[in-house]
Amino acid sequence: MAKVLKRVRQSIVFRIGGLLLLTAVIAISSMVASYVISDAAQHDAEAINLSGFVRALSYKLTAAAQSGDTQSTREMTAALDKQLQKISTISSFPLSDASTEADNFRAVQQEWQQKIRPLLNDVAAGERAIASRELLAFTDAFVTKVDRLVLDYQRIAEQKVKFLRLVQLASLFATITLVYFSVFTLSRSVEQPLRELISSCREIARGNFRPRLTLHSEDELGLLTQTIRRMSEVIDQTHRQLEERVKEKTKQLRKSHEVLDFQYRLARRISEGTLVGAELKPWLKEFSELTGLNDLDLCLMTPRGETPYEHLIHGRGNQSCTERDCYNCSHACGPSERANQRLYRFPLEADKRNYGVLVCSLPRNQLLHREQQLRLSAFADAITTAITLKERGQQERRVALMNERAIIARELHDSLAQSLSYLKIQVARLNRCTRGENIDRAQISEISEELKQGLDASYRQLRELLTTFRLQVSEGGLHNILCRSVEQYREQHPEIAIELHYELEEIPLTPNEEIHLLQLVREASQNAVYHSWGDRVSISLLPGEGQRVFASVRDNGKGISDAPEKRNHFGMSIMQERASNLGGELIIRRRETGGTEVSFSFIPEYARAQQTQENNQTQADLHLLFASRTNR
């Protein structure tokens, strides 16, 4: 029984199933009882009808006996016996039955068998004379008993109907009660918990992982409620943990963004120009605030020095630093422990050259996170890049200065020095003419005229050299400076029509290529303007086949002489040298229509790089093809 009660308490299905089973049992019992009662009352009406027939037949039998009709009396007597026998069969009262109905039936049978039947037979046979009133009195007494028997059968039938009605009413009440309990159980144990669960599920769907679940039961829905409650608690806890992790990650990303922004601004500042040591201190302070590292040392050294020329400290710095072992400190890497501090060193090294060290000091019981180490390393690399860029810029300026001096020396040697040498020769000739006894005034006048022409040429060359040395490829590039040069020629020589055709806007030329190409064009155009004696000069810079660049200067003057190495043509050797520096081809020729044409062509650096890459790819493909054929 305890197991059944436990099962009822723990299972909604079992409770509802039990209620349905009880309802079915009551319905079936009601139907069975109705059937049994109706079956038992099936012959009650027949018994009443037979009893009434016995009563009517008794009066007929009395009349027939009085008339002396023996045959009729005998037949009616047999009929009445038969009716009583039927009543006995229908009633089937056992001998042990002591009920009133059984006693009344036995009294009727006894009265008939022992008194009425013998009396009526004797009267009909004439064996006994009896008055009609007396015979009728016997018959009435017998009929009275029969009437009592009819009433008994009627009462029995009414009791069965009443019992059937009670059974039906009890079944109806029990059915209604069970239906009510079933509906109540469904409402309390199923509908209300389901409504609460659905409401909780909607709350969970809206993001509220703490729904109010008040159901406490041991059945299936109670188990489901407990499961959802525990699951909601786990989800809520997980959600809160994820929110905390998201906040932490967001904080870390914000910090990383700030550090990246710092590194970007530092890199942009480094790219803008030299970052001197005094300017590093605010950058060091900002880096310390971003990373939360309060004690930093930045020692800057020359590659060959052993002590720092500048020592920047933020916070307390390295308390154990005595500037006695700077070489080993700057070349050390990784963590170390000194006094009450843990030191992390990040050398400023590039190309096997040491420029100092960045030292981070922490309490002895504290470690540096990997992310902080990466940030320190990146900051050290940025400082190293700034120093190397400064050193490289200085080296490039030295090289540029030396190259510029070499160019100036070469230009002076190839132009002004030759003119001065020519003037020196003329002065020597003049001295020889003046030392003799016979002075040839015509020769002296010729020498003086040549000296004047030489001085004019030297002065002109000096001005051209000054213009060349002041030349810069400013914003706008090669096209802009060529346009300005053409404008200067037009202002100085308005009688000469100078045209410029420039179509190299889509070709990326290096600064070195632009300088040499500019000098070539200026040298050729100067020769055309000053020495061609023409009135038209055409300058063209055009792209050609094979990714080559073509530059040409044409004039319609007298044409180049057969001996261009004579005076005023010394710039051609300079143009040849510039052409060789660009790896190009320079051609100077006399035009068939008159005048001179200086043409130059070369392959730019970007095109040479592409051709080299294509050649390397072709060689690699051929090597793979050869290897595949060899393997076959």
Side-chain angles (χ1 to χ4, degrees), residues 376-405:
L376 282 167
S377 178
F379 184 62
D381 292 341
I383 298 175
T384 305
T385 302
I387 297 174
T388 53
L389 287 177
K390 177 183 177 182
E391 188 179 64
R392 190 176 301 168
Q394 292 175 350
Q395 182 65 24
E396 289 178 353
R397 284 192 293 272
R398 294 191 193 99
V399 173
L401 180 61
M402 297 303 296
N403 291 335
E404 185 177 1
R405 289 180 178 179

PDB file of all heavy atoms in Angstrom, residues 376-405:
ATOM      1  N   LEU A 376      56.349  45.659 -23.685  1.00  0.00           N
ATOM      2  CA  LEU A 376      57.676  46.229 -23.415  1.00  0.00           C
ATOM      3  C   LEU A 376      58.625  45.972 -24.570  1.00  0.00           C
ATOM      4  O   LEU A 376      59.396  46.851 -24.974  1.00  0.00           O
ATOM      5  CB  LEU A 376      58.233  45.641 -22.116  1.00  0.00           C
ATOM      6  CG  LEU A 376      57.670  46.232 -20.823  1.00  0.00           C
ATOM      7  CD1 LEU A 376      58.054  45.361 -19.638  1.00  0.00           C
ATOM      8  CD2 LEU A 376      58.180  47.651 -20.614  1.00  0.00           C
ATOM      9  N   SER A 377      58.573  44.754 -25.115  1.00  0.00           N
ATOM     10  CA  SER A 377      59.433  44.425 -26.246  1.00  0.00           C
ATOM     11  C   SER A 377      59.093  45.286 -27.457  1.00  0.00           C
ATOM     12  O   SER A 377      59.989  45.777 -28.162  1.00  0.00           O
ATOM     13  CB  SER A 377      59.288  42.937 -26.583  1.00  0.00           C
ATOM     14  OG  SER A 377      60.081  42.601 -27.704  1.00  0.00           O
ATOM     15  N   ALA A 378      57.784  45.512 -27.709  1.00  0.00           N
ATOM     16  CA  ALA A 378      57.380  46.353 -28.834  1.00  0.00           C
ATOM     17  C   ALA A 378      57.833  47.795 -28.628  1.00  0.00           C
ATOM     18  O   ALA A 378      58.276  48.463 -29.576  1.00  0.00           O
ATOM     19  CB  ALA A 378      55.858  46.289 -29.012  1.00  0.00           C
ATOM     20  N   PHE A 379      57.721  48.297 -27.390  1.00  0.00           N
ATOM     21  CA  PHE A 379      58.174  49.658 -27.119  1.00  0.00           C
ATOM     22  C   PHE A 379      59.687  49.769 -27.308  1.00  0.00           C
ATOM     23  O   PHE A 379      60.182  50.764 -27.871  1.00  0.00           O
ATOM     24  CB  PHE A 379      57.771  50.040 -25.698  1.00  0.00           C
ATOM     25  CG  PHE A 379      58.102  51.459 -25.327  1.00  0.00           C
ATOM     26  CD1 PHE A 379      57.542  52.519 -26.010  1.00  0.00           C
ATOM     27  CD2 PHE A 379      58.978  51.736 -24.281  1.00  0.00           C
ATOM     28  CE1 PHE A 379      57.843  53.829 -25.672  1.00  0.00           C
ATOM     29  CE2 PHE A 379      59.288  53.032 -23.939  1.00  0.00           C
ATOM     30  CZ  PHE A 379      58.713  54.081 -24.633  1.00  0.00           C
ATOM     31  N   ALA A 380      60.415  48.754 -26.833  1.00  0.00           N
ATOM     32  CA  ALA A 380      61.868  48.754 -27.032  1.00  0.00           C
ATOM     33  C   ALA A 380      62.214  48.704 -28.517  1.00  0.00           C
ATOM     34  O   ALA A 380      63.145  49.398 -28.978  1.00  0.00           O
ATOM     35  CB  ALA A 380      62.495  47.580 -26.286  1.00  0.00           C
ATOM     36  N   ASP A 381      61.488  47.899 -29.280  1.00  0.00           N
ATOM     37  CA  ASP A 381      61.741  47.841 -30.729  1.00  0.00           C
ATOM     38  C   ASP A 381      61.457  49.182 -31.398  1.00  0.00           C
ATOM     39  O   ASP A 381      62.166  49.592 -32.319  1.00  0.00           O
ATOM     40  CB  ASP A 381      60.871  46.750 -31.355  1.00  0.00           C
ATOM     41  CG  ASP A 381      61.287  45.361 -30.917  1.00  0.00           C
ATOM     42  OD1 ASP A 381      62.427  45.216 -30.445  1.00  0.00           O
ATOM     43  OD2 ASP A 381      60.467  44.431 -31.042  1.00  0.00           O
ATOM     44  N   ALA A 382      60.389  49.873 -30.941  1.00  0.00           N
ATOM     45  CA  ALA A 382      60.071  51.176 -31.525  1.00  0.00           C
ATOM     46  C   ALA A 382      61.185  52.180 -31.253  1.00  0.00           C
ATOM     47  O   ALA A 382      61.588  52.953 -32.144  1.00  0.00           O
ATOM     48  CB  ALA A 382      58.745  51.696 -30.964  1.00  0.00           C
ATOM     49  N   ILE A 383      61.680  52.186 -30.018  1.00  0.00           N
ATOM     50  CA  ILE A 383      62.793  53.090 -29.698  1.00  0.00           C
ATOM     51  C   ILE A 383      64.015  52.724 -30.520  1.00  0.00           C
ATOM     52  O   ILE A 383      64.729  53.598 -31.049  1.00  0.00           O
ATOM     53  CB  ILE A 383      63.090  53.031 -28.189  1.00  0.00           C
ATOM     54  CG1 ILE A 383      61.869  53.514 -27.403  1.00  0.00           C
ATOM     55  CG2 ILE A 383      64.315  53.861 -27.854  1.00  0.00           C
ATOM     56  CD1 ILE A 383      62.013  53.375 -25.906  1.00  0.00           C
ATOM     57  N   THR A 384      64.281  51.407 -30.654  1.00  0.00           N
ATOM     58  CA  THR A 384      65.418  50.972 -31.471  1.00  0.00           C
ATOM     59  C   THR A 384      65.243  51.429 -32.915  1.00  0.00           C
ATOM     60  O   THR A 384      66.196  51.896 -33.554  1.00  0.00           O
ATOM     61  CB  THR A 384      65.536  49.442 -31.407  1.00  0.00           C
ATOM     62  OG1 THR A 384      65.626  49.024 -30.047  1.00  0.00           O
ATOM     63  CG2 THR A 384      66.772  48.973 -32.156  1.00  0.00           C
ATOM     64  N   THR A 385      64.013  51.299 -33.440  1.00  0.00           N
ATOM     65  CA  THR A 385      63.744  51.751 -34.809  1.00  0.00           C
ATOM     66  C   THR A 385      63.994  53.244 -34.947  1.00  0.00           C
ATOM     67  O   THR A 385      64.571  53.701 -35.948  1.00  0.00           O
ATOM     68  CB  THR A 385      62.299  51.418 -35.184  1.00  0.00           C
ATOM     69  OG1 THR A 385      62.094  50.005 -35.056  1.00  0.00           O
ATOM     70  CG2 THR A 385      61.987  51.844 -36.602  1.00  0.00           C
ATOM     71  N   ALA A 386      63.546  54.028 -33.939  1.00  0.00           N
ATOM     72  CA  ALA A 386      63.777  55.470 -33.997  1.00  0.00           C
ATOM     73  C   ALA A 386      65.261  55.789 -34.031  1.00  0.00           C
ATOM     74  O   ALA A 386      65.718  56.647 -34.809  1.00  0.00           O
ATOM     75  CB  ALA A 386      63.104  56.137 -32.797  1.00  0.00           C
ATOM     76  N   ILE A 387      66.039  55.095 -33.193  1.00  0.00           N
ATOM     77  CA  ILE A 387      67.485  55.358 -33.153  1.00  0.00           C
ATOM     78  C   ILE A 387      68.148  54.939 -34.459  1.00  0.00           C
ATOM     79  O   ILE A 387      68.987  55.661 -35.023  1.00  0.00           O
ATOM     80  CB  ILE A 387      68.111  54.641 -31.948  1.00  0.00           C
ATOM     81  CG1 ILE A 387      67.530  55.196 -30.644  1.00  0.00           C
ATOM     82  CG2 ILE A 387      69.629  54.794 -31.958  1.00  0.00           C
ATOM     83  CD1 ILE A 387      67.971  54.455 -29.409  1.00  0.00           C
ATOM     84  N   THR A 388      67.769  53.747 -34.966  1.00  0.00           N
ATOM     85  CA  THR A 388      68.387  53.282 -36.213  1.00  0.00           C
ATOM     86  C   THR A 388      67.995  54.164 -37.388  1.00  0.00           C
ATOM     87  O   THR A 388      68.822  54.440 -38.271  1.00  0.00           O
ATOM     88  CB  THR A 388      67.966  51.829 -36.493  1.00  0.00           C
ATOM     89  OG1 THR A 388      66.541  51.734 -36.462  1.00  0.00           O
ATOM     90  CG2 THR A 388      68.557  50.887 -35.462  1.00  0.00           C
ATOM     91  N   LEU A 389      66.727  54.646 -37.399  1.00  0.00           N
ATOM     92  CA  LEU A 389      66.324  55.560 -38.465  1.00  0.00           C
ATOM     93  C   LEU A 389      67.107  56.868 -38.378  1.00  0.00           C
ATOM     94  O   LEU A 389      67.513  57.431 -39.404  1.00  0.00           O
ATOM     95  CB  LEU A 389      64.825  55.842 -38.378  1.00  0.00           C
ATOM     96  CG  LEU A 389      63.893  54.709 -38.816  1.00  0.00           C
ATOM     97  CD1 LEU A 389      62.436  55.097 -38.601  1.00  0.00           C
ATOM     98  CD2 LEU A 389      64.122  54.349 -40.282  1.00  0.00           C
ATOM     99  N   LYS A 390      67.316  57.345 -37.156  1.00  0.00           N
ATOM    100  CA  LYS A 390      68.125  58.561 -36.987  1.00  0.00           C
ATOM    101  C   LYS A 390      69.538  58.327 -37.482  1.00  0.00           C
ATOM    102  O   LYS A 390      70.096  59.151 -38.231  1.00  0.00           O
ATOM    103  CB  LYS A 390      68.126  58.962 -35.519  1.00  0.00           C
ATOM    104  CG  LYS A 390      69.005  60.166 -35.215  1.00  0.00           C
ATOM    105  CD  LYS A 390      69.009  60.454 -33.721  1.00  0.00           C
ATOM    106  CE  LYS A 390      69.953  61.614 -33.422  1.00  0.00           C
ATOM    107  NZ  LYS A 390      70.005  61.889 -31.950  1.00  0.00           N
ATOM    108  N   GLU A 391      70.123  57.183 -37.077  1.00  0.00           N
ATOM    109  CA  GLU A 391      71.487  56.880 -37.508  1.00  0.00           C
ATOM    110  C   GLU A 391      71.556  56.678 -39.016  1.00  0.00           C
ATOM    111  O   GLU A 391      72.475  57.169 -39.693  1.00  0.00           O
ATOM    112  CB  GLU A 391      71.981  55.627 -36.785  1.00  0.00           C
ATOM    113  CG  GLU A 391      73.439  55.323 -37.016  1.00  0.00           C
ATOM    114  CD  GLU A 391      73.861  54.077 -36.259  1.00  0.00           C
ATOM    115  OE1 GLU A 391      73.338  52.988 -36.563  1.00  0.00           O
ATOM    116  OE2 GLU A 391      74.696  54.203 -35.358  1.00  0.00           O
ATOM    117  N   ARG A 392      70.536  55.988 -39.565  1.00  0.00           N
ATOM    118  CA  ARG A 392      70.522  55.764 -41.001  1.00  0.00           C
ATOM    119  C   ARG A 392      70.339  57.082 -41.762  1.00  0.00           C
ATOM    120  O   ARG A 392      70.943  57.296 -42.810  1.00  0.00           O
ATOM    121  CB  ARG A 392      69.394  54.794 -41.355  1.00  0.00           C
ATOM    122  CG  ARG A 392      69.413  54.301 -42.782  1.00  0.00           C
ATOM    123  CD  ARG A 392      68.317  53.283 -42.986  1.00  0.00           C
ATOM    124  NE  ARG A 392      68.478  52.160 -42.078  1.00  0.00           N
ATOM    125  CZ  ARG A 392      67.541  51.237 -41.873  1.00  0.00           C
ATOM    126  NH1 ARG A 392      66.382  51.324 -42.503  1.00  0.00           N
ATOM    127  NH2 ARG A 392      67.768  50.240 -41.037  1.00  0.00           N
ATOM    128  N   GLY A 393      69.467  57.951 -41.219  1.00  0.00           N
ATOM    129  CA  GLY A 393      69.286  59.245 -41.858  1.00  0.00           C
ATOM    130  C   GLY A 393      70.568  60.055 -41.862  1.00  0.00           C
ATOM    131  O   GLY A 393      70.906  60.711 -42.864  1.00  0.00           O
ATOM    132  N   GLN A 394      71.267  60.003 -40.728  1.00  0.00           N
ATOM    133  CA  GLN A 394      72.552  60.712 -40.683  1.00  0.00           C
ATOM    134  C   GLN A 394      73.539  60.129 -41.681  1.00  0.00           C
ATOM    135  O   GLN A 394      74.250  60.875 -42.378  1.00  0.00           O
ATOM    136  CB  GLN A 394      73.124  60.640 -39.270  1.00  0.00           C
ATOM    137  CG  GLN A 394      72.319  61.423 -38.245  1.00  0.00           C
ATOM    138  CD  GLN A 394      72.840  61.224 -36.841  1.00  0.00           C
ATOM    139  OE1 GLN A 394      73.690  60.349 -36.595  1.00  0.00           O
ATOM    140  NE2 GLN A 394      72.338  62.025 -35.888  1.00  0.00           N
ATOM    141  N   GLN A 395      73.561  58.794 -41.781  1.00  0.00           N
ATOM    142  CA  GLN A 395      74.461  58.162 -42.727  1.00  0.00           C
ATOM    143  C   GLN A 395      74.068  58.518 -44.158  1.00  0.00           C
ATOM    144  O   GLN A 395      74.935  58.789 -45.012  1.00  0.00           O
ATOM    145  CB  GLN A 395      74.457  56.647 -42.522  1.00  0.00           C
ATOM    146  CG  GLN A 395      75.398  55.871 -43.439  1.00  0.00           C
ATOM    147  CD  GLN A 395      76.851  56.202 -43.171  1.00  0.00           C
ATOM    148  OE1 GLN A 395      77.215  56.645 -42.079  1.00  0.00           O
ATOM    149  NE2 GLN A 395      77.707  56.020 -44.184  1.00  0.00           N
ATOM    150  N   GLU A 396      72.749  58.510 -44.416  1.00  0.00           N
ATOM    151  CA  GLU A 396      72.309  58.874 -45.765  1.00  0.00           C
ATOM    152  C   GLU A 396      72.646  60.315 -46.092  1.00  0.00           C
ATOM    153  O   GLU A 396      73.020  60.635 -47.225  1.00  0.00           O
ATOM    154  CB  GLU A 396      70.795  58.640 -45.872  1.00  0.00           C
ATOM    155  CG  GLU A 396      70.400  57.171 -45.895  1.00  0.00           C
ATOM    156  CD  GLU A 396      68.909  56.985 -45.963  1.00  0.00           C
ATOM    157  OE1 GLU A 396      68.190  58.005 -45.861  1.00  0.00           O
ATOM    158  OE2 GLU A 396      68.452  55.825 -46.114  1.00  0.00           O
ATOM    159  N   ARG A 397      72.510  61.195 -45.085  1.00  0.00           N
ATOM    160  CA  ARG A 397      72.887  62.591 -45.335  1.00  0.00           C
ATOM    161  C   ARG A 397      74.385  62.716 -45.595  1.00  0.00           C
ATOM    162  O   ARG A 397      74.819  63.521 -46.435  1.00  0.00           O
ATOM    163  CB  ARG A 397      72.470  63.454 -44.147  1.00  0.00           C
ATOM    164  CG  ARG A 397      70.977  63.736 -44.107  1.00  0.00           C
ATOM    165  CD  ARG A 397      70.648  64.830 -43.105  1.00  0.00           C
ATOM    166  NE  ARG A 397      70.902  64.398 -41.730  1.00  0.00           N
ATOM    167  CZ  ARG A 397      70.010  63.775 -40.988  1.00  0.00           C
ATOM    168  NH1 ARG A 397      68.813  63.491 -41.483  1.00  0.00           N
ATOM    169  NH2 ARG A 397      70.298  63.429 -39.759  1.00  0.00           N
ATOM    170  N   ARG A 398      75.180  61.916 -44.866  1.00  0.00           N
ATOM    171  CA  ARG A 398      76.624  61.930 -45.133  1.00  0.00           C
ATOM    172  C   ARG A 398      76.915  61.468 -46.553  1.00  0.00           C
ATOM    173  O   ARG A 398      77.694  62.091 -47.285  1.00  0.00           O
ATOM    174  CB  ARG A 398      77.352  61.021 -44.128  1.00  0.00           C
ATOM    175  CG  ARG A 398      77.311  61.496 -42.691  1.00  0.00           C
ATOM    176  CD  ARG A 398      78.280  60.694 -41.844  1.00  0.00           C
ATOM    177  NE  ARG A 398      78.049  60.903 -40.418  1.00  0.00           N
ATOM    178  CZ  ARG A 398      77.378  60.085 -39.645  1.00  0.00           C
ATOM    179  NH1 ARG A 398      76.869  58.964 -40.159  1.00  0.00           N
ATOM    180  NH2 ARG A 398      77.216  60.352 -38.358  1.00  0.00           N
ATOM    181  N   VAL A 399      76.260  60.339 -46.933  1.00  0.00           N
ATOM    182  CA  VAL A 399      76.488  59.819 -48.281  1.00  0.00           C
ATOM    183  C   VAL A 399      76.000  60.817 -49.326  1.00  0.00           C
ATOM    184  O   VAL A 399      76.660  61.057 -50.348  1.00  0.00           O
ATOM    185  CB  VAL A 399      75.775  58.454 -48.444  1.00  0.00           C
ATOM    186  CG1 VAL A 399      75.852  57.989 -49.885  1.00  0.00           C
ATOM    187  CG2 VAL A 399      76.405  57.422 -47.517  1.00  0.00           C
ATOM    188  N   ALA A 400      74.804  61.427 -49.047  1.00  0.00           N
ATOM    189  CA  ALA A 400      74.288  62.406 -50.005  1.00  0.00           C
ATOM    190  C   ALA A 400      75.209  63.607 -50.112  1.00  0.00           C
ATOM    191  O   ALA A 400      75.430  64.150 -51.209  1.00  0.00           O
ATOM    192  CB  ALA A 400      72.897  62.851 -49.579  1.00  0.00           C
ATOM    193  N   LEU A 401      75.743  64.031 -48.952  1.00  0.00           N
ATOM    194  CA  LEU A 401      76.682  65.162 -48.979  1.00  0.00           C
ATOM    195  C   LEU A 401      77.933  64.826 -49.769  1.00  0.00           C
ATOM    196  O   LEU A 401      78.405  65.637 -50.584  1.00  0.00           O
ATOM    197  CB  LEU A 401      77.032  65.552 -47.539  1.00  0.00           C
ATOM    198  CG  LEU A 401      77.998  66.723 -47.371  1.00  0.00           C
ATOM    199  CD1 LEU A 401      77.402  67.987 -47.977  1.00  0.00           C
ATOM    200  CD2 LEU A 401      78.325  66.941 -45.897  1.00  0.00           C
ATOM    201  N   MET A 402      78.471  63.621 -49.534  1.00  0.00           N
ATOM    202  CA  MET A 402      79.664  63.212 -50.282  1.00  0.00           C
ATOM    203  C   MET A 402      79.356  63.084 -51.764  1.00  0.00           C
ATOM    204  O   MET A 402      80.164  63.507 -52.627  1.00  0.00           O
ATOM    205  CB  MET A 402      80.193  61.892 -49.732  1.00  0.00           C
ATOM    206  CG  MET A 402      80.650  61.971 -48.269  1.00  0.00           C
ATOM    207  SD  MET A 402      81.921  63.225 -47.979  1.00  0.00           S
ATOM    208  CE  MET A 402      83.251  62.575 -48.972  1.00  0.00           C
ATOM    209  N   ASN A 403      78.189  62.508 -52.090  1.00  0.00           N
ATOM    210  CA  ASN A 403      77.814  62.400 -53.509  1.00  0.00           C
ATOM    211  C   ASN A 403      77.619  63.776 -54.140  1.00  0.00           C
ATOM    212  O   ASN A 403      78.023  64.024 -55.284  1.00  0.00           O
ATOM    213  CB  ASN A 403      76.525  61.586 -53.649  1.00  0.00           C
ATOM    214  CG  ASN A 403      76.722  60.125 -53.316  1.00  0.00           C
ATOM    215  OD1 ASN A 403      77.851  59.608 -53.426  1.00  0.00           O
ATOM    216  ND2 ASN A 403      75.660  59.456 -52.923  1.00  0.00           N
ATOM    217  N   GLU A 404      76.987  64.665 -53.345  1.00  0.00           N
ATOM    218  CA  GLU A 404      76.782  66.016 -53.878  1.00  0.00           C
ATOM    219  C   GLU A 404      78.110  66.716 -54.112  1.00  0.00           C
ATOM    220  O   GLU A 404      78.308  67.405 -55.127  1.00  0.00           O
ATOM    221  CB  GLU A 404      75.917  66.811 -52.903  1.00  0.00           C
ATOM    222  CG  GLU A 404      75.537  68.188 -53.418  1.00  0.00           C
ATOM    223  CD  GLU A 404      74.617  68.907 -52.467  1.00  0.00           C
ATOM    224  OE1 GLU A 404      74.295  68.341 -51.413  1.00  0.00           O
ATOM    225  OE2 GLU A 404      74.228  70.046 -52.781  1.00  0.00           O
ATOM    226  N   ARG A 405      79.038  66.520 -53.177  1.00  0.00           N
ATOM    227  CA  ARG A 405      80.359  67.127 -53.363  1.00  0.00           C
ATOM    228  C   ARG A 405      81.071  66.518 -54.572  1.00  0.00           C
ATOM    229  O   ARG A 405      81.741  67.239 -55.324  1.00  0.00           O
ATOM    230  CB  ARG A 405      81.203  66.925 -52.103  1.00  0.00           C
ATOM    231  CG  ARG A 405      80.722  67.775 -50.922  1.00  0.00           C
ATOM    232  CD  ARG A 405      81.568  67.553 -49.700  1.00  0.00           C
ATOM    233  NE  ARG A 405      81.126  68.414 -48.585  1.00  0.00           N
ATOM    234  CZ  ARG A 405      81.703  68.393 -47.384  1.00  0.00           C
ATOM    235  NH1 ARG A 405      82.723  67.561 -47.133  1.00  0.00           N
ATOM    236  NH2 ARG A 405      81.259  69.208 -46.442  1.00  0.00           N
TER     237      ARG A 405
END
